[in-house]
Each structure stands twice: as C-alpha cells, then as structure tokens.
Amino acid sequence: TAINDPTQYIVVSPMQVSPGKETEYLEMEREIFKPIHEEAVKMGLMGSWSVWYKWPFEANDERYVVINGFEDYSQLSALDYDELFKKVHPDADMDEVWKKAAGLRKNTSVQIWRLIDSVYKNESHE
C-alpha cells in the first residue's frame, strides 16, 4: 500500500466526554494514548490512529470518536494495550490512568468497518 492509502479496517469508538472536561480529555488522548498508538503503528501492529470531533453536534451526543486503523483483520486482535502501555509509559500507573480515563469519557459503542472502495489524493487516475 502507498503511504496515503487508507487502512482496510477501522474500529470506530464514539466517546461521550464528561461536561466541562473536553480539554482534559484531549490532553489525556494526546499525552497518554497517542504515544501508545504511535508505537503500535511503528511496530506494524496497526496502520493509523486518530481522534475526531463531531460538528455540529446535538445535546447528549458523542462529540468525539477515536478511530484505529488496521491493515488486515488479524491485527484487530493482536494489539496488547497493557504491553504497549508499559513500554511507552514505564513509570505510569496503568490503573490510575484507566480510572482517570473513565472519569473523563465513556466509550458508548465500538463498530468495526471494512473498506470497500476509495479515491485518495496523490493517486494516479490514468
């Protein structure tokens, strides 16, 4: 696959963030979870990671969604978050991080999507 090709599978996890905790939630995603996913991508365990903001949104809506991209179906179950967490944050208390995460956001569902077709910038259209 080329560098701009999309991953074949995405895992979509809508997040309902506690009112008034949006800034703290995004800091946690950037400081704790982004480095874990960067390491997973570097190790070839997944293809991408991103956080999206829904706009416009309605009251009580999930305003954020975390998307993990995978190159093939076997990667969906190959990710060991505990191992990656310890590797990337060796001095952090994982139980405390999960408690903090639970206080900031609630994962309301998980959906797995498979790519059928696409057109992306930088593709040749000859």
Side-chain angles (χ1 to χ4, degrees), residues 36 79-89 94-95 98:
I36 291 170
L79 211 53
D80 184 341
Y81 276 101
D82 290 350
E83 183 181 312
L84 284 166
F85 184 96
K86 290 173 190 170
K87 181 177 182 176
V88 174
H89 302 293
M94 193 164 40
D95 290 335
W98 286 117

Side-chain angles (χ1 to χ4, degrees), residues 15-19 21-22 25 63-64 104-106:
M15 299 290 176
Q16 193 164 40
V17 176
S18 300
K21 300 284 187 178
E22 290 86 359
Y25 163 71
R63 296 180 190 181
Y64 296 91
L104 294 174
R105 51 104 169 123
K106 178 182 173 190

Side-chain angles (χ1 to χ4, degrees), residues 58-117:
E58 297 175 19
N60 300 319
D61 226 355
E62 294 94 349
R63 296 180 190 181
Y64 296 91
V65 64
V66 174
I67 299 179
N68 294 337
F70 297 93
E71 297 301 329
D72 64 59
Y73 191 78
S74 65
Q75 288 181 323
L76 292 169
S77 60
L79 211 53
D80 184 341
Y81 276 101
D82 290 350
E83 183 181 312
L84 284 166
F85 184 96
K86 290 173 190 170
K87 181 177 182 176
V88 174
H89 302 293
D91 299 325
D93 182 334
M94 193 164 40
D95 290 335
E96 287 299 315
V97 169
W98 286 117
K99 277 188 214 171
K100 179 180 179 179
L104 294 174
R105 51 104 169 123
K106 178 182 173 190
N107 182 210
T108 59
S109 67
V110 175
Q111 301 172 358
I112 298 174
W113 292 64
R114 182 176 158 260
L115 180 67
I116 302 300
D117 204 353

